[in-house]
Amino acid sequence: MTVKIKDVTDYLESIAPRSYQESYDNAGLITGNSSWTVTGILVTLDCVEAVIEEAITSQCNLIVAHHPIVFRGLKKLNGNNYVERTVIKAIKHDIAIHAIHTNLDNVHTGVNRKICEKIGLKNLKILQPKKDTLSKLVTFIPTQHAEAVLGALHQAGAGQIGNYKNCSFRTEGTGTFMPNESASPHIGEANQQEFVKEVRAEVIFPTHLEGKLLQALRSVHPYEEVAYYSSILSNENQEVGSGMTGELETPVEPLAFLQGLKISMDLQVIRHTKIKSGPVKKVAVCGGSGSFLLPQAIQSGADMFITADFKYHEFFDADGRITIADIGHYESEVFTKELLQDVLMKKFSTFAIIFSKTVTNPISYL
């Protein structure tokens, strides 16, 4: 059975929907055609010229990268910088590049969970949950059809709340309608007022699944005209957002924790603020540039905040309330390759899924 690039990208986007990416981002298929047959997948943190060469040698025509090679947009393709040269080489050799960036950062099974797993954190929670990513669907179903219709909605992704599934709220009432001569009613006759025992059912769902839910609703609901309405909620989505917090099973002295962090994350150096007194129990993490989350990390009660790309003056903002541990952007996200390989191997087994051997970290340490 052949696998198309679209099969792979659709699967990745079912795990980390593009609607969850930040507004400045450029996740998705950057080069290549979604109808191509996949010959192999190369997984990398960054896509640069050397990675394209590696894909050619390895006979992989799809590169799945965390960082998008085209980030700020391209106006010319003259090969004048590494971005243009990478894109040109990919196009010349029919290499597709798919980026899965802040959408993977923002899902609770993504980049930050991987960091938490590497350093042994439990009781994980999103540090800054996103709003406006959930909607509510309300529909009205003849009582005898309620289980079938709600079953289809749950199957399509509605009613999943944290560790609970098949969640709904139901009330019983009476629906009224009068079909006209052109109608083909499931219940009733033309020009006669009908009174039907119905269930008003409400379910919450991720907003990006609305089309799928409405298709499921219409395919199972017995009425010719399905009554429903949907609305976007301002609720925080506890499974989507920036950063993550977790707890160590046993509190650890700060220096011992930092020394263990160097080993578990394979670090050469950690830039950190003055160490907060007391053992480390609760830890906040954010892969990549996470300084914007410092207020939330402090508010969460975390003893340590592990992230990257803090500027000099931003370190002062810890103000003795938390220890900032800046471990480097590449270093905080490099294990995303393991995450992506694991995710892809669970679904696809007919071609190679391999790590890039190219170290793309632009920073060296002396």
Side-chain angles (χ1 to χ4, degrees):
M1 181 179 176
T2 60
V3 176
K4 303 295 185 182
I5 285 175
K6 187 178 189 305
D7 298 324
V8 178
T9 57
D10 283 353
Y11 175 64
L12 289 173
E13 290 180 14
S14 72
I15 293 165
R18 271 194 292 167
S19 60
Y20 292 161
Q21 73 176 323
E22 300 299 332
S23 59
Y24 58 78
D25 202 5
N26 189 36
L29 192 63
I30 293 173
T31 66
N33 192 303
S34 61
S35 66
W36 291 349
T37 298
V38 178
T39 60
I41 299 177
L42 185 67
V43 177
T44 184
L45 188 66
D46 306 282
C47 188
V48 294
E49 291 172 89
V51 174
I52 303 293
E53 290 287 355
E54 198 177 349
I56 296 167
T57 302
S58 304
Q59 297 184 321
C60 295
N61 68 339
L62 174 59
I63 295 171
V64 176
H66 183 46
H67 296 136
I69 180 63
V70 178
F71 195 68
R72 297 181 179 88
L74 290 173
K75 294 185 177 181
K76 297 180 177 65
L77 276 174
N78 298 321
N80 290 329
N81 56 55
Y82 83 97
V83 174
E84 293 179 14
R85 292 192 298 271
T86 300
V87 172
I88 289 170
K89 188 180 288 289
I91 292 171
K92 285 178 68 175
H93 292 274
D94 290 340
I95 304 293
I97 302 170
H98 180 85
I100 179 167
H101 191 208
T102 53
N103 47 330
L104 189 62
D105 290 331
N106 284 333
V107 292
H108 72 103
T109 53
V111 174
N112 295 308
R113 177 174 288 268
K114 186 66 178 178
I115 298 171
C116 291
E117 289 173 355
K118 295 295 290 187
I119 60 180
L121 300 181
K122 309 293 182 184
N123 303 323
L124 307 182
K125 295 180 180 179
I126 295 290
L127 180 57
Q128 185 182 57
K130 275 188 174 293
K131 294 184 177 182
D132 304 321
T133 62
L134 295 171
S135 291
K136 182 175 73 171
L137 175 70
V138 179
T139 189
F140 305 87
I141 317 162
T143 303
Q144 64 270 32
H145 294 275
E147 294 303 327
V149 172
L150 280 164
L153 292 175
H154 293 322
Q155 187 67 31
Q160 310 293 317
I161 303 175
N163 293 324
Y164 297 84
K165 65 179 183 178
N166 300 346
C167 303
S168 67
F169 181 77
R170 312 178 192 190
T171 53
E172 294 186 353
T174 301
T176 66
F177 53 86
M178 180 186 290
N180 64 24
E181 293 84 353
S182 300
S184 300
H186 176 76
I187 297 173
E189 298 179 7
N191 298 318
Q192 290 189 14
Q193 186 73 25
E194 297 296 331
F195 299 84
V196 182
K197 288 184 178 180
E198 293 182 342
V199 170
R200 173 192 166 112
E202 304 180 27
V203 289
I204 292 176
F205 64 94
T207 301
H208 70 274
L209 292 179
E210 181 170 1
K212 184 178 179 181
L213 257 69
L214 293 181
Q215 183 178 10
L217 175 65
R218 293 188 178 105
S219 69
V220 178
H221 200 291
Y223 285 173
E224 183 180 22
E225 298 289 347
V226 181
Y228 74 90
Y229 57 87
S230 66
S231 52
I232 295 176
L233 305 176
S234 61
N235 302 39
E236 290 184 341
N237 188 339
Q238 299 300 322
E239 296 189 346
V240 179
S242 303
M244 189 164 277
T245 62
E247 296 177 345
L248 295 168
E249 198 159 322
T250 304
V252 178
E253 289 303 312
L255 279 177
F257 176 80
L258 290 172
Q259 288 163 355
L261 181 63
K262 285 190 75 172
I263 295 169
S264 59
M265 296 296 288
D266 192 24
L267 307 174
Q268 294 185 55
V269 64
I270 299 175
R271 298 193 307 151
H272 63 83
T273 55
K274 183 178 179 180
I275 293 174
K276 178 176 176 277
S277 62
V280 176
K281 174 64 175 177
K282 188 171 186 178
V283 179
V285 308
C286 179
S289 303
S291 61
F292 71 100
L293 286 173
L294 180 60
Q296 288 76 16
I298 293 170
Q299 187 176 14
S300 75
D303 305 299
M304 186 83 61
F305 182 29
I306 301 166
T307 186
D309 297 345
F310 262 83
K311 296 179 181 178
Y312 174 82
H313 289 285
E314 292 172 335
F315 280 97
F316 285 103
D317 295 333
D319 201 22
R321 295 169 292 176
I322 196 169
T323 302
I324 297 170
D326 187 322
I327 65 174
H329 196 121
Y330 176 89
E331 290 82 359
S332 72
E333 295 183 329
V334 67
F335 295 105
T336 302
K337 294 192 293 184
E338 290 181 6
L339 168 65
L340 289 170
Q341 186 186 50
D342 290 344
V343 163
L344 289 165
M345 289 181 70
K346 287 178 183 176
K347 179 71 174 179
F348 304 103
S349 58
T350 57
F351 46 77
I353 301 169
I354 60 177
F355 278 163
S356 169
K357 296 177 182 178
T358 303
V359 177
T360 60
N361 192 355
I363 300 170
S364 298
Y365 302 98
L366 183 61

